Every structure is written in C-alpha cells, then in structure tokens.
Amino acid sequence: MMPAQALRGGVTSFTGTGRAELPRLDGHIWVPIDDDTTWAWNMVWSYDDRFPLSDEWHQRDEAFFGRGADDLIPGTYLLWCHLERSGKPNLRPS
C-alpha cells in the first residue's frame, strides 16, 4: 500500500451554516510503516493572508480534534486514547 493523502477546503463552518472562522485547507497523509503501524500527519494552511494561523488558533484546533497537548502521552507523540483502547491500564494523570 502506498502513502495516501486527503486535502479538503474549510470554507464553511463545521455546522455547515455560515463561513468558517478561518478560510483554510486541511489535510492528512498516512504512511504505512509495517503491518501494524501507520504514521499520520495532519496539515492545515490558511489560504487568505488576512487570516494568519496563530499558535493559539492551532492549539485550540488540535485540542478540539483530540490531539492537543493534554491528549499526548508526555515525552511522546502518542495519544492517550490509543493506549487506553489497547486495553492497557489508564495511566493518564488526573
């Protein structure tokens, strides 16, 4: 299997009514590493110079989709939800 990608425009809001807060292009790239592992990259671009991507906007967006700083296992790029789904004990700090 070759790497796969997706790219979509973010012109309308998530509710489908009205314009998005930030006109952007979102996308993903999935790269199979072996039979059990796939690396994924998430991308976002603002296609209008009047709406730059701020660090605050990016952090809020990542948290909304479950990829924020609190969703990562400290010292890794792994998400807590993957560890929890694997049946391992929940070691997430409270």
Side-chain angles (χ1 to χ4, degrees):
M1 180 169 138
M2 297 295 292
Q5 68 178 16
L7 184 63
R8 61 192 181 282
V11 177
T12 59
S13 69
F14 284 115
T15 62
T17 58
R19 296 187 60 82
E21 171 189 353
L22 177 78
R24 66 187 188 278
L25 295 172
D26 297 287
H28 309 285
I29 296 176
W30 297 275
V31 180
I33 302 305
D34 56 33
D35 288 344
D36 299 312
T37 309
T38 301
W39 285 350
W41 284 269
N42 301 300
M43 306 165 290
V44 61
W45 295 274
S46 172
Y47 60 78
D48 189 330
D49 291 339
R50 295 175 296 164
F51 299 93
L53 289 172
S54 68
D55 286 339
E56 294 80 19
W57 182 91
H58 187 70
Q59 290 171 8
R60 189 175 72 240
D61 191 59
E62 288 295 289
F64 177 80
F65 287 108
R67 302 183 302 253
D70 293 338
D71 299 306
L72 297 173
I73 298 171
T76 74
Y77 292 104
L78 301 174
L79 295 170
W80 282 109
C81 64
H82 296 303
L83 182 65
E84 292 161 356
R85 285 186 207 142
S86 72
K88 297 198 168 117
N90 184 350
L91 304 173
R92 186 190 297 232
S94 46

